[in-house]
Amino acid sequence: MLGFGVDHLYLWKTYPPSKYSEYLSYYQKLSKARYSPNDTNLLLVFPYANVMKINGRIFRNQEPPERQALAKHNVTMANSFPVPLFEIDQYKGNTFCGLPEDFNLYVLDAKPGKYIDDKDLQECDCLPEKWKHGYSKGVAMGNNKQVVIYWLIVW
């Protein structure tokens, strides 16, 4: 298979309102970038395998049109910090990044480069050249339920 994978870690926790407000203030100050879940400047990192090679045969257009459109969008976002495309069932939303509208994303750090062994890296035409490989860490904060989703992604 010719595909692109993402190593990711998500942890989430709901906090009491006073603690949530404290964390919100802390992460707002600490973040390198803040995005809303429908921000069209999002550079979304997600597994992608639009072309597959099985037994010597190549199969194209294996991803749904929506994911192909996201991949094309991503290529133009070299100046944005990468964030995950969230596909967490209990926090599913109809926004660009996959979270409910009450969430905000705070990028705490992100750098291009190779941070895992070359044998584990895969190439993808779904990312801009600057971000072919790298990592991103941050928090997504949902105001309605005072939930914080911590993320770390490496690709």
Side-chain angles (χ1 to χ4, degrees), residues 106-122:
Y106 299 92
V107 178
L108 303 179
D109 198 18
K111 292 187 177 142
K114 295 181 178 182
Y115 297 96
I116 54 178
D117 289 337
D118 280 351
K119 67 178 177 55
D120 296 321
L121 292 174
Q122 301 160 328

Side-chain angles (χ1 to χ4, degrees), residues 5 13 60 88 118 126:
K13 182 166 175 55
R60 299 186 189 285
I88 302 171
D118 280 351
C126 60

Side-chain angles (χ1 to χ4, degrees), residues 29-42:
K29 291 175 189 169
L30 190 63
S31 68
K32 292 184 172 193
R34 175 182 174 232
Y35 298 107
S36 70
N38 270 323
D39 195 326
T40 57
N41 290 326
L42 287 173

